[in-house]
Amino acid sequence: MVRNSASSCLKAVLGPTNTGKTHLAIERMCAHSSGAIGFPLRLLAREVYEKVCAIKGAERVALITGEERIEPKHARYLLCTAEAMPVAADLAFVVIDEAQLGADRERGHIFTDRLLHARGREETMLLGSGTLEPLVRALLPEAEIVTRPRFSTLSHAGAKKLSRVPPRSALVAFSTEQVYAVAEMLRRFRGGAAVVMGALSPETRNKQVALYQSGEVDYLVATDAIGMGLNLDIDHVAFAGLSKFDGQRQRRLTTAEMAQIAGRAGRHQRDGTFGTLAGSGSHDAEFTADEVYGIEEHRFAPLTRLFWREPQPDCASLAGLIADLSRPPNQPELALAPEAIDLAVLKRLAEDPEIGGKVRGEAQIKRFWAACSLPDFRQYGAENHSRFVARLWQDLAKGMLGSDYVARSIADLDNPAGDIDTLQMRIAAIRSWAYIAQRPDWVLAREEMAARARAAEARLSDALHARLTERFVNRRTSVLMKKLGNDAALLPVALEGDEVLVDGEAIGHLAGFRFRVDPQARLADRKLLLSAAERHLPALRAQRAAMLAEALAKGAADLQLNGAELRWEGALLGRLAAGKSLLRPLIVLDKALDDLPATVRRGLGDALALWLDGAMLPLAPLARIAAASADPAAGAELRALLIRLAESGGLMERQAARLERLTPLQRKFLTRLGIKVGALDLFVPDMLKPAALGAWRVLRSIGGVHLAAPVPAMPPVVAASGKFPVPPGYRLLGQQAIRIDLAEKLLRAAHEVRVAAGRKDFVLNPALAISTGLTTASYALLLRLAGFRATVSRPLPPAALGPPQPPRWRWQPLRQGLPVANAAPIAPRPGNAFAALAELLR
């Protein structure tokens, strides 16, 4: 039965490769409170797991595959292989990737089951090829179908000899022998190639891909494993053949399979080409006109059925289990899946009276079926694989596998010596033990054994990568080939400080990461030298980027934020862009860094992000206010106030705050957040520091708001006029501006005098205000703004202007409803401060 609700949205996003479907799924999942994506490959699950960890944090993201499980206690986002996907989990969002694999003979029934039953509480998304559309309409009539076009154009380039295949190409073969032969030829004549095959472990594949992506080699030789889960910078795909053995017979690839592989060429909006390898000796190694048309226009014959197998078989008896797994579906769009290796192993062992004859009871039958479902990583076939499962079941039938036995089995395989084939077999075997160790009811000390299996696989993968590189990469030839085509490329290029030297000749300099040609460079051979410099600049930039990242880690990098511009030693490095919130900006690196290797660019980006976090630390009080504004317990009025306060940099006029709407408890909450409620302003004292105001000015510049620069050292009083705008953190008082916290200090002193006087008039001494640098006119204006007015009980005696004894002038609070004076203050008469202040306020 399909688990779905009337309110749940079911959407099928269909289209060719390079349409951004996976990126869309990641964005949608991260917008929900929880979610899961089921991938066809462990490699893909791991790649997207790392991306989602960067967005949501590792403590909220889980990786669930047959061989590896990383499950934090509070994980809300699950990245899984389709087989390991928890179908019954209560999640807001669920994605099935590459859903057209429901037509695969070996694993199709798994993807069909997920397509029919895996549902998110709020939204479900099916990603796949356009060939799946008719079956989605028939099986899931309620699904909304969205078709996405390919971002770039894919064109047929015909047949090319190996010597004519352009750099940044992938050459695809369909047997291990052919892969090795093509890679060997490339090693001899082009410096080598990275090798990607389905038999490699994910770790080895990643390392080989990195070898290609980094530019150390310009060619990739692969099987059809390249058609899924590898996003590479490939410009051209060359087929060494167009037929393969599918497990039953040698057959020609379907047009859709050809397109899946050819679609690796071109990335995002960069066009790609595909063709064949001339002289490969294959009689069918050329595309037909119909195949070329189908690939270029993305038109393929639709799928007519998906493979299905009972996902919840009856486990009351072995006979009932086998019967359920062999029962055909009752829908015409579904076909019974061919006998997979797990069912073949089950039948073989069930017929053995020493094994199947002793399996009794529903619980034991379920456990037995789980053991038979162990994947055949070693590709031994049903006969040999059933022997391994039978040996495993001898221990599982008695209880748990002992940790000593599992540890010894792993240790026997943990040997990095041997050739490529030997290491591949050991990795396949260790993956079986990694799978076994992940089962919580199979192995004692499960976590320790799983860690040992992962460590052994990593060591064997490193050794296999080294063997592949030794055999198929000639580093010296690779370096020379990258310099061929023009003698200029053979010239030595060096970087001394910022100066770029080609064969000892200064040709320009690197301003940050931008190359500036020296106008005084020698005109003779100028073109030659520039060509050599350009060829080597990516490596020089990568070297400089690594040095900058290291300096950032040590806190020794000279970075400055000039508005939204991030500069290094005066040169533009990148710009700040709006992030998820105002207080979490992003760094967009300058285009001059686009040609950096992916790993170097990512490392630099991570280092800069850490530096930016440090630069934004002075805004921590604002971050606390913003976080508190999201707390429903604070109440609507207080949350609205906190949002406005965070958006205004922690400074706000009291009149705009509407404090009368807050309860006493909410006012206490303001105090706990470090927010001062003054007579004229609400403010956060830590936000009156130059570092905090500078960081706030940078953030506001991202949105095009240009604030005045903060005053160094933040003196108590500064001049203010048309020529001198009011700096942030100050309040304007005529021709002067006073720092907001000091204005509050003066007004608080005035209120203390008023409270001490009770209902009587009181006397204020302007000495404290004058000591800050305020004039009597500015102080008078401050008092008026705070609601005070002067009352004169008797005429001003002439002697009051002299030095002997200043008169005592009495004050009272401004009555409720009287307007606050805001006219320009009158210039004071000569005399002492008391007299001048009295004259101004009469």
Side-chain angles (χ1 to χ4, degrees), residues 173-373:
F174 295 95
S175 70
T176 301
E177 294 77 11
Q178 197 174 27
V179 167
Y180 289 171
V182 173
E184 181 64 31
M185 293 293 289
L186 287 170
R187 186 192 72 83
R188 293 180 185 178
F189 301 112
R190 292 300 182 98
V195 174
V196 172
M197 298 183 293
L200 301 183
S201 68
E203 289 79 5
T204 307
R205 269 184 286 181
N206 283 340
K207 287 181 171 64
Q208 288 289 301
V209 165
L211 189 69
Y212 172 82
Q213 287 290 85
S214 66
E216 189 167 345
V217 294
D218 272 332
Y219 298 91
L220 181 75
V221 184
T223 61
D224 53 350
I226 194 179
M228 194 176 301
L230 291 176
N231 295 315
L232 305 172
D233 296 323
I234 296 172
D235 295 332
H236 178 73
V237 171
F239 288 76
L242 294 174
S243 64
K244 71 172 185 176
F245 183 74
D246 65 1
Q248 290 188 328
R249 60 187 176 88
Q250 186 76 18
R251 64 169 178 84
R252 189 176 178 86
L253 301 175
T254 66
T255 307
E257 289 172 333
M258 294 174 184
Q260 182 79 16
I261 298 169
R264 295 297 109 187
R267 188 83 182 274
H268 196 55
Q269 295 183 351
R270 192 178 70 240
D271 296 339
T273 59
F274 69 97
T276 54
L277 195 61
S280 62
S282 177
H283 66 279
D284 61 348
E286 188 52 71
F287 293 102
T288 66
D290 288 343
E291 288 167 345
V292 170
Y293 174 78
I295 296 171
E296 290 184 339
E297 300 298 326
H298 317 298
R299 297 180 183 273
F300 316 113
L303 296 175
T304 57
R305 62 180 183 175
L306 299 178
F307 289 117
W308 176 90
R309 190 174 76 179
E310 175 57 53
Q312 296 179 332
D314 179 16
C315 292
S317 67
L318 283 180
L321 172 62
I322 294 172
D324 257 13
L325 293 172
S326 304
R327 178 170 52 85
N330 55 12
Q331 289 179 269
E333 296 82 11
L334 302 177
L336 180 63
E339 185 178 271
I341 194 165
D342 54 357
L343 181 54
V345 170
L346 174 64
K347 288 180 177 180
R348 276 178 167 79
L349 298 185
E351 293 171 354
D352 187 339
E354 292 298 318
I355 300 176
K358 297 179 180 179
V359 178
R360 296 286 187 273
E362 184 174 352
Q364 193 175 32
I365 290 174
K366 286 183 177 180
R367 187 175 176 84
F368 182 61
W369 172 227
C372 293
S373 300

